[in-house]
C-alpha cells in the first residue's frame, strides 16, 4: 500500500498558503476572486484589511507553520497548552498533538486577522464574535474522526460509547436542547426552590411568595426580591446550602419574592409598562399591605434590577418614595457598554424583531437560551457535544446547569421595547422615557444602594454595573456601596458563605471616580460577599420585631405553598 508522503503534504500546503490568490480570497470580494465567507462578512459591514497587514499576517503564519512542521518531522511532540487538549490521549501521540497545535495556530491566525480589520468598534466586535464561533466549532475535539479521547473510549467499550452517544443526541433532539445536567436528578419544589413559604397573591403576570421567618426577631422593614423575568427565580433558591433567599431569611429578614409567569399566548401582548406597573408596583402594594410598612428594602437581579429601578422611578414621579434601600445585582442602568451582547443588537436586528413581535407574540425561551449559550460555546455547547455524544457519557447532576436549561418565554412587545430603549438607544438613564404614564428619572430614587458586579461577567460587564453609582443618589454618593465579586454573571452571585469559595473586592475609601480607579484602590477579601449584603440590609432594616405568626392577611390569603405553580411551567 502506498502511504502519503508527509513532506509532500507539507510542501503542498506551504505552496498553497504562499499563493497570493489564496490570501486575496480571504480579504477581498473582487469579482475575479472567489471570496472566502469571512471576506463577504467584512464587506457586509464595510470593513477591510490593509495590504501591508495582510502581508504581515501571511509572513507570520508561514513562519509559525514551518516551525511547527519542522518540530513534528524531527520527532518532537508539539507543546499544546489549551485545556481541551490536555489529556494523555492528545499529548501522548505526536500526530494528535500536531493536529491540535495546527488548529491552535489557525485559530491564532484568524484572531490576528480580526485585530487588523479596519472597522468601527461595533463592526469589529461582530466580526470577532463570528470568527470565534467558527474557531470554536472547528476544534478537532468536536469530531469523532479527530478526537483521540473519543476514539480510545470507542475501542475500550467495544462501540458502546458510540451507541450511547447517538442515543443521547437523539434524546436531546427530542427535547430541543443539549443536556447540560442530569435532568432526572432535580425537580422544582422537591430538591430545588425548597425554602419554606407561601404564595399569598397572584395575577396572570406573577405570583408573590412570602417566606416563613426562621429567626426569633426580624427586621421591621421587609425585603422584596425581584428576579429576572428572562429566567426562573429559583436561581436565587437552588438548594439550602446555596440559596440566597434562604440566607436572607436566616439573617432575620421578612422576605417576599416575585415569581414571574412563564408567558403563553394569553400574555403575548404584555408590555414593559405592564411588568413595571402591574408587576413590581402591584407587588409593592401587596407587601406594604401585608407588612404594614410603607417602605421596603428592594432587590433586583439582572433585568429584574432594571425593572425594579424603573418602578421606583415611576413611583418617585408620583411623589412616592417606597424604597428604604435598593440592592442591584449584575444590573444595567446605563447601557453604554453592553459587552459581547452588543453583537446581537443593532437597528436592523431590532427592527426585525419589532416587525415580528412588537404587536403581539412570544420571544421563545429556546431562542434566548441559544443566544446566551453562544456567548460561551466551549463551556455550554461543545464541551457537552464531546462528552455526551462523542464519548457517550451521561451529564452529571448540577443544579445551576439544570436551571440554565429551564428556559422562559418573553412577551414580544415587552422584549422589543427593552431592546430598543435600553440596549440600542440607552434612554433609561437620560430621563427620556415615559413608563406607566410617568417620566422615568432614576436620579429621583431616594434610597441608599448596594450595587454588585461580577468581575468576569460576560452579560453585564462589571464597569457597567459600577456606573449605576453615578446615576443613583446624586449628591448622596456616600450612601451607596459597590462590591465586586469573582467569577461570572451567575456563579459570582451564587457564592454562599457555606462553600467558602472565591473572593470579592471592596473600596469604601470615598468616591473613586472610574471603575478602574475604584479597582486600583480596592481591597481583596477571601470568601463570599453575602455577609456584606446582609450587613447592608441590617443597617437599613429598622428595629427588630417579632415575626408575624401567619403569612398574608385578611386581604391576601394563602393560595399554595412555595415555590408555587408558575415556576414549574415549562416553555413551549
Amino acid at each position: 500500500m502506498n502511504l502519503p508522503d508527509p513532506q509532500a503534504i507539507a510542501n503542498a500546503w506551504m505552496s498553497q498558503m504562499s499563493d497570493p490568490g489564496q490570501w486575496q480570497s480571504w480579504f477581498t470580494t473582487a469579482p475575479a476572486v472567489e471570496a472566502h465567507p469571512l471576506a463577504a462578512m467584512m464587506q457586509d459591514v464595510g470593513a477591510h484589511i490593509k495590504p501591508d497587514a495582510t502581508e504581515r499576517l501571511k509572513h507570520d503564519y508561514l513562519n509559525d507553520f514551518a516551525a511547527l512542521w519542522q518540530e513534528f518531522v524531527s520527532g518532537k511532540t508539539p507543546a499544546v497548552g489549551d485545556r481541551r487538549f490536555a489529556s494523555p490521549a492528545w499529548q501522548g501521540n505526536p500526530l494528535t498533538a500536531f493536529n491540535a497545535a495546527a488548529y491552535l495556530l489557525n485559530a491564532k491566525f484568524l484572531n490576528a486577522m480580526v485585530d487588523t480589520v479596519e472597522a468601527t468598534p461595533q463592526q469589529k466586535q461582530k466580526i470577532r464574535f463570528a470568527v470565534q464561533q467558527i474557531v470554536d466549532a472547528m476544534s478537532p475535539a468536536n469530531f469523532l474522526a479527530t478526537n483521540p479521547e473519543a476514539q480510545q473510549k470507542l475501542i475500550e467499550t467495544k462501540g458502546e460509547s458510540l451507541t450511547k452517544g447517538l442515543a443521547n443526541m437523539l434524546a436531546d433532539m427530542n427535547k430541543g436542547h443539549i443536556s447540560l445536567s442530569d435532568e432526572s436528578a432535580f425537580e422544582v419544589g422537591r430538591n430545588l426552590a425548597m425554602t419554606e413559604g407561601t404564595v399569598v397573591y397572584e395575577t396572570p403576570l406573577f405570583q408573590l411568595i412570602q417566606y416563613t421567618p426562621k429567626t426569633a426577631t426580624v427586621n421591621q422593614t421587609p425585603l422584596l426580591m425581584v428576579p429576572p423575568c428572562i429566567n426562573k427565580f429559583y436561581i436565587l433558591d437552588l438548594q439550602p446550602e446555596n440559596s440566597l433567599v434562604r440566607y436572607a431569611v436566616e439573617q432575620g429578614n421578612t422576605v417576599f419574592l416575585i415569581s414571574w409567569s412563564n408567558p403563553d399566548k394569553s400574555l403575548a401582548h404584555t408590555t414593559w409598562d405592564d411588568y413595571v406597573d402591574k408587576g413590581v408596583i402591584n407587588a409593592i402594594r401587596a407587601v406594604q399591605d401585608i407588612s404594614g410598612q410603607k417602605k421596603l428594602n428592594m432587590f433586583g437581579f439582572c433585568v429584574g434590577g432594571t425593572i425594579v429601578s424603573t418602578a421606583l422611578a415611576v413611583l418617585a414621579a408620583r411623589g412616592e418614595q417606597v424604597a428604604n434601600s435598593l440592592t442591584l445585582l449584575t444590573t444595567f442602568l446605563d447601557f453604554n457598554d453592553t459587552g459581547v451582547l452588543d453583537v446581537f443588537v443593532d437597528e436592523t436586528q431590532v427592527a426585525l424583531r419589532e416587525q415580528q413581535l412588537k404587536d403581539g407574540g412570544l420571544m421563545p425561551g429556546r431562542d434566548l437560551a441559544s443566544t446566551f449559550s453562544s456567548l460561551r460555546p466551549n463551556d455550554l455547547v461543545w464541551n457537552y457535544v464531546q462528552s455526551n455524544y462523542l464519548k457517550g457519557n451521561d451529564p452529571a447532576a448540577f443544579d445551576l446547569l439544570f436551571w440554565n436549561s429551564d428556559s422562559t418565554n418573553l412577551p414580544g412587545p415587552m422584549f422589543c421595547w427593552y431592546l430598543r430603549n435600553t440596549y440600542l438607544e440607552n434612554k433609561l438613564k437620560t430621563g427620556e422615557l415615559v413608563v406607566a404614564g410617568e417620566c422615568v428619572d432614576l436620579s429621583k430614587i431616594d434610597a441608599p444602594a448596594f450595587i454588585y458586579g461580577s468581575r468576569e461577567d460576560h452579560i453585564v460587564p462589571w464597569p457597567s454595573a459600577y456606573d449605576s453609582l453615578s446615576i443613583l443618589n446624586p449628591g448622596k454618593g456616600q450612601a451607596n456601596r459597590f462590591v465586586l465579586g469573582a467569577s461570572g454573571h451567575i456563579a459570582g452571585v451564587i457564592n454562599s458563605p457555606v462553600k467558602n469559595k472565591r473572593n470579592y473586592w471592596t473600596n469604601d475609601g470615598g468616591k473613586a471616580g472610574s471603575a478602574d480607579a475604584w479597582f486600583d484602590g480596592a481591597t481583596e477579601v477571601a470568601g463570599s460577599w453575602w455577609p456584606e449584603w446582609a450587613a447592608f440590609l441590617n443597617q437599613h432594616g429598622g428595629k427588630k420585631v417579632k415575626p408575624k405568626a401567619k403569612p398574608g392577611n385578611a386581604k391576601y390569603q394563602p393560595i399554595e405553598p412555595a415555590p408555587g405553580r408558575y415556576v414549574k411551567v415549562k416553555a413551549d
Side-chain angles (χ1 to χ4, degrees):
M1 180 172 64
N2 293 323
L3 295 175
D5 180 0
Q7 189 61 51
I9 294 173
N11 289 339
W13 175 252
M14 295 290 284
S15 175
Q16 183 182 35
M17 294 309 292
S18 299
D19 179 6
Q22 289 291 330
W23 288 87
Q24 194 177 10
S25 74
W26 281 80
F27 306 121
T28 182
T29 55
V33 178
E34 184 179 352
H36 189 277
L38 288 176
M41 178 178 63
M42 288 194 291
Q43 184 189 45
D44 287 343
V45 298
H48 67 279
I49 298 178
K50 293 181 177 179
D52 60 332
T54 302
E55 284 301 313
R56 187 172 64 254
L57 286 172
K58 171 182 169 181
H59 177 268
D60 292 347
Y61 178 83
L62 291 174
N63 283 346
D64 288 348
F65 184 83
L68 177 62
W69 179 253
Q70 288 303 316
E71 189 177 62
F72 174 64
V73 296
S74 67
K76 184 178 179 181
T77 301
V80 180
D82 193 291
R83 64 184 176 89
R84 289 171 291 179
F85 313 115
S87 75
W90 289 98
Q91 302 278 354
N93 184 318
L95 184 59
T96 56
F98 172 80
N99 195 18
Y103 159 75
L104 292 173
L105 175 58
N106 291 332
K108 176 184 173 183
F109 157 69
L110 288 171
N111 283 309
M113 181 193 73
V114 175
D115 289 338
T116 62
V117 167
E118 299 283 329
T120 66
Q122 185 179 36
Q123 291 167 343
K124 196 166 185 175
Q125 186 175 30
K126 288 186 177 184
I127 294 171
R128 186 183 302 282
F129 180 81
V131 166
Q132 193 60 52
Q133 297 297 307
I134 295 170
V135 167
D136 293 340
M138 295 307 295
S139 166
N142 298 339
F143 304 93
L144 182 60
T146 51
N147 187 322
E149 294 177 278
Q151 295 167 2
Q152 183 176 322
K153 188 163 186 182
L154 178 67
I155 295 169
E156 291 173 351
T157 63
K158 298 179 180 179
E160 184 180 344
S161 63
L162 179 59
T163 302
K164 185 66 180 356
L166 289 171
N168 287 344
M169 183 175 68
L170 290 172
D172 284 354
M173 289 173 67
N174 288 330
K175 289 189 290 188
H177 65 264
I178 296 174
S179 295
L180 308 183
S181 172
D182 178 3
E183 296 181 8
S184 66
F186 299 106
E187 181 183 352
V188 176
R190 178 175 63 84
N191 57 359
L192 295 173
M194 299 165 60
T195 302
E196 298 84 357
T198 305
V199 175
V200 293
Y201 179 51
E202 69 181 36
T203 74
L205 189 56
F206 73 95
Q207 288 188 313
L208 180 66
I209 300 171
Q210 181 178 358
Y211 288 97
T212 304
K214 295 182 177 295
T215 52
T217 61
V218 295
N219 291 329
Q220 187 175 40
T221 305
L223 171 66
L224 174 57
M225 304 180 77
V226 182
C229 51
I230 291 176
N231 309 104
K232 294 189 175 179
F233 84 79
Y234 66 88
I235 186 58
L236 298 172
D237 187 26
L238 288 169
Q239 299 185 75
E241 65 272 17
N242 61 354
S243 168
L244 185 60
V245 169
R246 181 178 290 268
Y247 179 80
V249 173
E250 290 174 344
Q251 298 306 304
N253 295 287
T254 300
V255 179
F256 294 81
L257 179 142
I258 288 177
S259 172
W260 296 108
S261 170
N262 196 343
D264 57 18
K265 291 180 180 179
S266 68
L267 292 173
H269 295 276
T270 305
T271 65
W272 180 268
D273 286 32
D274 292 329
Y275 273 82
V276 170
D277 208 1
K278 297 179 181 178
V280 172
I281 293 177
N282 197 4
I284 287 172
R285 300 303 185 211
V287 175
Q288 288 174 323
D289 195 303
I290 293 169
S291 67
Q293 299 299 309
K294 291 184 177 180
K295 289 204 167 190
L296 318 177
N297 286 323
M298 300 296 298
F299 167 105
F301 178 22
C302 189
V303 67
T306 310
I307 294 172
V308 78
S309 298
T310 306
L312 293 177
V314 167
L315 289 174
R318 296 173 181 172
E320 294 184 69
Q321 295 289 346
V322 301
N324 206 48
S325 73
L326 172 61
T327 297
L328 298 178
L329 309 185
T330 60
T331 292
F332 278 125
L333 297 183
D334 183 347
F335 288 75
N336 181 57
D337 177 12
T338 57
V340 71
L341 285 177
D342 197 41
V343 303
F344 298 106
V345 183
D346 58 28
E347 179 60 40
T348 300
Q349 294 182 76
V350 173
L352 177 62
R353 288 295 184 188
E354 289 174 334
Q355 183 180 359
Q356 296 169 334
L357 300 171
K358 185 177 181 180
D359 296 324
L362 296 175
M363 178 64 184
R366 61 180 175 273
D367 290 357
L368 291 166
S370 296
T371 296
F372 289 120
S373 292
S374 72
L375 302 179
R376 294 170 55 205
N378 283 330
D379 292 332
L380 296 177
V381 179
W382 300 116
N383 176 51
Y384 295 96
V385 168
Q386 297 161 25
S387 180
N388 301 2
Y389 305 162
L390 301 187
K391 301 175 188 176
N393 296 327
D394 290 322
F398 190 1
D399 53 6
L400 193 151
L401 290 178
F402 175 88
W403 165 85
N404 188 77
S405 299
D406 192 5
S407 58
T408 57
N409 303 320
L410 283 179
M414 176 268 190
F415 179 67
C416 292
W417 188 99
Y418 180 51
L419 281 184
R420 176 166 293 282
N421 289 287
T422 59
Y423 280 92
L424 185 62
E425 299 181 357
N426 194 19
K427 289 183 175 179
L428 184 61
K429 73 165 187 174
T430 63
E432 298 177 61
L433 295 178
V434 175
V435 176
E438 306 292 347
C439 291
V440 175
D441 185 348
L442 298 174
S443 70
K444 299 300 183 184
I445 302 171
D446 186 12
F450 182 99
I451 300 168
Y452 169 87
S454 289
R455 190 178 182 189
E456 298 166 34
D457 195 338
H458 58 290
I459 295 175
V460 181
W462 79 264
S464 294
Y466 174 87
D467 285 345
S468 297
L469 286 176
S470 63
I471 297 172
L472 300 170
N473 281 319
K476 299 180 181 178
Q478 71 282 359
N480 297 337
R481 282 206 72 200
F482 181 77
V483 172
L484 177 65
S487 196
H489 188 72
I490 299 298
V493 171
I494 309 305
N495 183 27
S496 167
V498 173
K499 304 284 187 178
N500 195 29
K501 292 172 62 178
R502 304 189 182 96
N503 53 350
Y504 65 95
W505 291 262
T506 64
N507 182 353
D508 298 323
K511 187 173 178 59
S514 70
D516 288 342
W518 182 93
F519 187 77
D520 289 342
T523 300
E524 184 175 352
V525 183
S528 170
W529 59 271
W530 289 11
E532 298 276 354
W533 178 56
F536 175 83
L537 287 181
N538 194 53
Q539 179 184 353
H540 300 288
K543 64 182 181 181
K544 299 292 185 180
V545 297
K546 186 176 180 180
K548 292 189 175 183
K550 295 180 180 180
N553 60 15
K555 181 178 178 181
Y556 296 95
Q557 293 285 327
I559 296 172
E560 60 181 337
R565 307 184 312 282
Y566 287 16
V567 72
K568 299 178 183 180
V569 175
K570 298 290 184 180
D572 293 335

